[in-house]
């Protein structure tokens, strides 16, 4: 027995090369002892004169994928070996963090392109990269608990796996052509990669099995191929994601240093970049000012892009509205009508994950998925004793949040729950997260809307339920991300989105709320306006234009502008209050203004008109003016906005200038109301949340209009409904703490 230290490390420390790092560091500093994985993270038992320097070096020199959240040490009498060893894993458990999937590291990419036993091997990985969450079946993270368990290691791979000094030491997905997953093309034979490239060069559509599901790919420079993919997938306008090397991306978009860093992040998200340089077919992203690009993030992708020699469309392999396909048989059945060939492999995908979608200017996550989950977020001060909570989010962009051990795990994007298969994916994710992380909630949080499937599911759990108003959850999610303390005081939340059930039973969507985690008051809101046709108003922007113009006393203008539309029955319905509920929705105001500025027809996907309007505004000269919206508290009246627009319309003002003025007017009106709440001492800061703040121009204008008022925004959680569950969970925890 010897006197030493027992050191506990918590965080993202399993499956990232942490134990061999500790082994090498301890040997370097002349320590004796051991390191092992267990249910809480990594446990180190060590003795020697260099212990202080050793502990100080751990967070400073940790491996690239590691995240050290907490380190504690205590003196102990230990039975230690003479040297330093890596011991077998301890008991299974789920107190530690699971590592997200990580893009191929530079060493592995180099390896697949040079002579050697892994040259051209599509499943090359090491401790610093490769699949993690998408192959995980249970904790702790060992090969036997992943979908790699069915691939026994060959002697060469086993030697790497067992050698602490090797970068593949205990890399659970380690493999080579002799023992690992294999790749093939259907239909066809011979070299799978060469055959796949031939399909793409012929203008065909290729289904590719990746990390978290299948993609559908085609030649991004071939307008006929892109149009063919749109027709087959019944996706008329929603932008396609693109994949290519950085030089390819720079040929078509501007790429700043921050954007290049984000593209090269281990998460390898889709990054929205401004179009520039050589054009791609308009069908890639109709009417958009940005393109969504990602770098190759698996060896398969690197090999394919290199062999093809150009950028590819890389969109989710799914039927419209359904979750991404993950199984080979499922792909043959569901994607057979889309794809001319399938690039398959035999490594099972344990859970489906879409690609994350992000911006660098300003930093924001629009879709939190592959590469970001299941990363956790620390809870703010005051939530240290929060009970275990599960929150189920909303109906659209569904995501689940688990609270445990002063951490929040915001799950992956699940889609719209009105789709049957998305609902099945939601139920599977609920069971999956609970089992994987040994989560035993004491209460459940959900949206206030009783018709949401997630809300109905919450009430089947047999646990206390906290129903949270939609926009309060948006506010709380922004506060949580920014670590606003539980007792930090009230904040003015500018919450702009589509639709959410209000505390008064009306439909909200454009509010300034003053409150905290526990409660709120509604300080200001857009003047309520009918949604003619109910749900149809979400699809048809012209319906909202009719309602707004009529409300502004400009019925004759609507008659002229919308002469071919069935106005009379809609006006009768609005007068009678039949299928025309009042709403303060900022999203529907965007739709209305898009309709009068040139957006024609119905929306092919959620937010299309607003994205079109933002792209239009970005073509205007900066500082092109502002349309007025009147009011500081209570109802904010947009009548003057429509009158000013009509004057511009009559004098032939360019549509892009009108689009800019609309954005500026909305930003100024809500900033004015929030500033007033802060100036009156009712709030200490401002938070921006809701799906409308995915609009980078609107966010930038609002922040500028707020001046020197402290502002919180979303950066690592979605401002849209994908972040709702985080806010719901913290509202529930706060109310329990106050009870």
């Amino acid at each position: 027995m010897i006197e030493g230290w027992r050191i506990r490390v918590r965080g993202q420390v399993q499956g990232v090369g942490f134990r061999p790092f500790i082994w090498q560091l301890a040997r370097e500093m002349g320590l004796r002892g051991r390191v092992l994985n267990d249910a809480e993270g990594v446990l180190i038992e060590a003795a020697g004169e260099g212990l202080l320097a050793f502990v100080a070096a751990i967070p400073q020199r940790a491996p690239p994928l590691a995240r050290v959240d907490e380190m504690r040490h205590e003196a102990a009498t230990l039975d230690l070996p003479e040297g330093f060893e890596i011991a077998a894993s301890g008991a299974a458990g789920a107190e530690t963090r699971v590592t997200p999937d990580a893009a191929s590291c530079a060493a592995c990419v180099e390896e697949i392109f040079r002579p050697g036993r892994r040259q051209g091997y599509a499943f090359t990985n090491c401790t610093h990269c490769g699949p993690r969450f998408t192959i995980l079946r249970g904790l702790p993270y060992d090969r036997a608990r992943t979908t790699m368990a069915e691939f026994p290691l060959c002697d060469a791979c086993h030697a790497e796996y067992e050698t602490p000094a090797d970068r593949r030491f205990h890399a659970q997905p380690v493999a080579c052509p002799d023992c690992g997953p294999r790749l093939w093309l259907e239909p066809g034979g011979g070299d799978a990669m060469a055959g796949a490239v031939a399909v793409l060069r012929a203008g065909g559509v290729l289904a590719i099995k990746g990390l978290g599901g299948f993609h559908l790919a085609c030649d991004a420079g071939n307008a006929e191929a892109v149009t063919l993919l749109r027709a087959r997938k019944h996706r008329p306008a929603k932008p396609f994601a693109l994949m290519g090397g950085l030089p390819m991306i720079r040929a078509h978009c501007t790429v700043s240093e921050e954007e290049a860093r984000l593209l090269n992040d281990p998460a390898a998200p889709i990054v929205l970049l401004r179009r520039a340089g050589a054009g791609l077919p308009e069908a890639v992203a109709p009417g958009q000012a940005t393109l969504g690009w990602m770098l190759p993030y698996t060896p398969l992708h690197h090999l394919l892009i290199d062999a093809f020699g150009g950028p590819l469309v890389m969109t989710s392999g799914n039927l419209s509205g359904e979750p991404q396909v993950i199984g080979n048989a499922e792909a043959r059945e569901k994607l057979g009508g889309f794809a001319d060939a399938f690039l398959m492999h035999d490594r099972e995908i344990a859970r489906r994950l879409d690609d994350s979608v992000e911006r660098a200017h300003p930093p924001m996550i629009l879709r939190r998925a592959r590469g970001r989950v299941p990363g956790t977020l620390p809870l703010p001060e005051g939530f240290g004793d929060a009970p275990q909570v599960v929150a189920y989010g909303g109906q659209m962009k569904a995501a689940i949040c688990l609270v445990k051990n002063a951490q929040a795990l915001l799950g992956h994007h699940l889609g719209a729950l009105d789709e049957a298969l998305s609902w099945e994916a939601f139920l599977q994710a609920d069971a999956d997260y609970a089992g994987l992380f040994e989560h035993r909630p004491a209460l459940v949080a959900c949206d206030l809307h009783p018709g949401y499937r997630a809300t109905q599911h919450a009430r089947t759990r047999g646990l206390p339920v906290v129903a949270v108003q939609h926009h309060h959850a948006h506010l709380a999610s922004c506060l949580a991300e920014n670590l606003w303390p539980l007792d930090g005081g009230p904040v003015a939340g500018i919450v702009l989105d589509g639709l959410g059930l209000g505390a008064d039973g009306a439909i909200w969507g454009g509010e300034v709320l003053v409150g905290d985690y526990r409660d709120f008051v509604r300080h200001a809101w857009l003047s309520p306006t009918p949604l003619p046709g109910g749900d149809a108003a979400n699809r048809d922007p012209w319906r909202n234009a009719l309602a707004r113009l009529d409300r502004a006393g400009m019925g004759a203008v609507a008659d002229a502008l919308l002469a071919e539309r069935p106005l009379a029955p809609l006006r009768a319905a609005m007068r009678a209050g039949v299928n025309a509920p009042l709403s303060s929705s900022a999203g529907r105001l965007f739709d209305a203004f898009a309709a009068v500025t040139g957006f024609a027809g119905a929306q092919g996907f959620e937010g299309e008109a607003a994205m079109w309007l933002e792209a239009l505004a970005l073509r205007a000269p900066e500082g092109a003016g502002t349309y007025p919206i009147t009011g500081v508290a209570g109802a904010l009246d947009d009548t003057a906005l429509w009158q000013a627009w009509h004057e511009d319309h009559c004098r032939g003002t360019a549509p892009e200038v009108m689009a800019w003025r609309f954005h500026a007017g909305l930003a100024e009106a809500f900033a004015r109301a929030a500033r007033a709440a802060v100036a009156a001492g009712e709030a200490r800061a401002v938070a921006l949340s809701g799906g409308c703040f995915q609009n980078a121009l609107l966010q930038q204008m609002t922040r500028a209009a707020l001046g020197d008022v402290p502002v919180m925004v979303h950066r690592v959680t979605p401002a849209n409904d994908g972040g709702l569950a985080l806010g719901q969970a913290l509202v529930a925890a706060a109310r329990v703490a106050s009870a």
Side-chain angles (χ1 to χ4, degrees):
M1 304 297 285
I2 187 172
E3 296 302 313
W5 285 359
R6 183 173 287 114
I7 304 162
R8 162 64 62 198
V9 188
R10 293 185 174 91
Q12 189 168 291
V13 290
Q14 292 188 10
V16 295
F18 204 85
R19 289 176 300 165
F21 154 69
I22 293 295
W23 177 82
Q24 290 174 327
L25 185 64
R27 287 164 61 94
E28 174 188 321
M29 295 186 173
L31 304 181
R32 59 185 291 191
R34 64 177 62 88
V35 59
L36 66 142
N37 285 343
D38 66 9
E40 296 186 53
V42 166
L43 179 65
I44 306 163
E45 294 178 335
E49 294 182 0
L51 275 172
L52 278 173
F54 172 72
V55 169
I58 289 174
Q60 296 173 358
R61 294 170 55 180
L65 296 181
R67 300 290 184 272
V68 176
D69 292 338
E70 181 185 22
M71 282 183 57
R72 293 182 180 178
H73 66 269
E74 61 182 6
T77 301
L78 304 167
D79 182 11
L80 300 178
E82 285 299 320
F84 199 93
E85 67 180 22
I86 297 177
S89 295
E95 302 304 315
T96 189
R97 183 187 300 180
V98 177
T99 307
D101 298 85
S104 298
C105 68
C108 284
V109 173
E110 180 185 357
E111 194 172 4
I112 64 174
F113 287 114
R114 70 165 187 245
R117 70 191 189 93
R118 289 191 175 90
Q119 183 177 20
Y121 186 54
F123 305 94
T124 299
N125 63 84
C126 72
T127 307
H128 305 305
C129 67
R132 299 291 196 277
F133 193 46
T134 51
I135 63 170
L136 184 66
R137 286 181 169 142
L139 292 176
Y141 176 62
D142 286 320
R143 190 179 183 96
R145 297 179 181 88
T146 73
T147 61
M148 289 297 296
E150 62 191 75
F151 299 99
L153 292 171
C154 66
D155 289 344
C157 286
H158 189 266
E160 294 170 329
Y161 185 85
E162 293 293 342
T163 304
D166 195 287
R167 81 173 199 275
R168 292 195 166 91
F169 175 78
H170 281 211
Q172 307 307 337
V174 65
C176 76
D178 292 334
C179 64
R182 66 184 185 92
L183 189 71
W184 70 90
L185 187 72
E186 297 180 9
D191 185 274
M193 196 62 65
V197 169
V199 171
L200 294 167
R201 287 182 176 159
V205 175
L206 180 68
I208 304 169
K209 188 178 183 180
L211 276 185
F214 277 78
H215 286 104
L216 293 170
C218 70
D219 180 356
N222 184 334
E224 291 183 0
V226 178
T227 301
L228 174 67
L229 177 54
R230 286 207 175 277
R232 287 181 177 178
K233 201 177 178 187
H234 304 291
R235 183 170 167 170
K238 192 173 184 180
F240 283 144
L242 298 161
M243 179 178 283
L246 196 54
M248 296 177 193
I249 298 174
R250 291 188 189 278
H252 301 287
C253 289
T254 59
V255 183
S256 69
E257 290 184 12
E258 295 82 2
E259 288 165 336
R261 279 197 297 270
L262 186 55
L263 285 163
N264 281 288
D265 188 275
I270 297 169
V271 180
L272 300 185
L273 304 169
R274 289 289 297 273
R275 290 180 188 253
L280 288 172
E282 178 64 15
V284 169
Q288 300 303 312
T290 58
L291 297 174
W293 285 93
M294 56 183 158
L295 294 175
Y297 58 83
T298 70
L300 187 157
H301 295 134
H302 281 282
L303 293 165
L304 183 62
I305 291 291
D306 179 74
F308 181 69
L312 297 174
V313 165
M314 197 72 72
T315 189
S316 295
N318 62 319
L319 297 172
S320 182
E322 289 190 2
Q324 193 174 16
V325 168
I326 62 172
N328 293 352
E330 182 188 17
R332 295 181 190 106
E333 175 190 352
K334 293 191 173 181
L335 304 183
F338 300 165
D340 297 296
F342 294 82
L343 193 56
M344 297 284 210
H345 64 73
D346 56 355
R347 184 179 65 204
E348 185 182 348
I349 297 172
R351 58 186 52 78
R352 73 185 84 234
L353 287 180
D354 285 310
D355 298 307
S356 292
V357 181
E358 307 184 15
R359 287 186 192 267
H361 301 299
M364 66 173 72
I365 291 181
L366 289 83
R367 184 168 71 197
R368 180 179 167 89
R370 179 193 50 76
R372 298 300 183 195
V373 294
T376 60
L377 303 165
L379 296 189
E381 179 185 341
F383 286 97
D385 296 326
Q388 292 191 28
V389 182
V390 61
Y392 288 130
Q395 184 78 354
M396 307 293 290
K397 298 179 177 64
I400 294 169
C401 183
L402 280 61
V403 166
K404 181 180 179 180
N405 295 343
Q407 298 277 320
L409 190 158
L410 180 60
H412 60 284
H413 168 82
L414 291 164
L417 298 187
D418 51 359
E419 291 288 341
L421 291 178
S422 295
W423 176 241
E424 288 181 15
F426 173 90
L427 296 176
Q428 180 182 352
D430 186 27
D432 187 26
Y433 279 120
L436 193 58
F437 298 101
E438 295 182 359
H439 193 255
R440 298 178 180 86
L443 69 159
V444 182
C446 62
D447 195 272
L448 193 64
H449 198 302
Y452 285 179
R453 298 189 79 168
T455 301
Q456 294 165 358
H457 177 65
R459 299 191 182 281
T460 69
R461 293 296 310 272
L463 294 167
V465 175
V466 177
V468 183
Q469 198 278 323
H470 190 89
H471 302 92
H472 186 203
H474 273 305
L475 169 60
S477 69
C478 189
L479 298 182
E481 176 181 331
N482 287 276
L483 297 178
W484 188 259
L486 175 60
D487 294 318
V491 168
I494 302 177
V495 186
L496 308 180
D497 68 354
L499 306 172
L501 181 64
D504 58 359
I507 300 173
W508 295 2
E511 332 297 319
V512 176
L513 306 180
V514 175
D516 56 15
Y517 298 103
R518 298 180 179 93
D519 208 351
F520 69 93
V521 294
R522 194 180 183 209
H523 176 79
W525 55 90
L526 281 173
S527 292
T529 302
L531 299 174
D535 288 344
N538 300 335
R539 298 188 300 270
D540 299 328
W542 66 267
R543 294 172 180 264
N544 298 289
L546 170 65
R548 292 281 171 181
L549 289 170
D550 278 5
R551 187 187 165 279
M554 300 167 64
V557 176
D559 289 341
L561 196 68
L562 306 171
E564 297 181 1
R565 302 293 185 181
L567 305 186
L570 286 181
R571 281 173 166 154
M574 285 191 285
R575 284 194 299 270
V578 176
N579 200 24
L582 293 175
S583 173
S584 59
S585 171
R588 300 295 79 82
L589 180 60
F590 265 94
D591 293 350
F593 199 84
V596 303
T597 320
F599 185 89
Q603 299 191 80
F605 60 93
E606 184 191 9
E608 181 184 1
M611 291 170 64
W612 178 90
L613 192 63
E614 180 189 10
L616 184 64
L618 289 171
R619 302 208 298 263
E622 192 167 342
T626 305
Y627 287 146
I629 297 176
T630 58
V632 175
L636 305 180
D637 190 355
D638 60 338
T639 297
L641 177 153
W642 292 103
Q643 293 169 343
W645 159 79
H646 188 238
E647 292 174 4
D648 275 352
H649 177 72
C650 291
R651 65 171 66 102
T653 300
E656 57 265 31
V657 171
M658 294 189 286
W660 177 281
R661 292 174 178 172
F662 170 82
H663 280 78
L666 195 64
E668 170 55 36
F670 278 94
R672 182 176 64 245
R675 284 198 317 265
V678 173
E682 299 170 7
R684 297 181 55 192
V686 175
L688 309 183
S689 192
C692 291
F693 281 115
Q694 294 176 130
N695 181 321
L697 179 62
L698 179 67
Q699 187 190 120
Q700 290 162 349
M701 286 180 164
T702 305
R703 294 181 72 171
L706 285 165
D708 59 359
V709 173
V711 181
M712 291 176 276
V713 298
H714 292 267
R715 292 183 176 85
V716 298
T717 62
N720 61 39
D721 283 9
L724 275 180
L726 173 63
Q728 292 170 352
L730 267 72
V731 169
R735 289 180 179 171
V736 168
S738 302

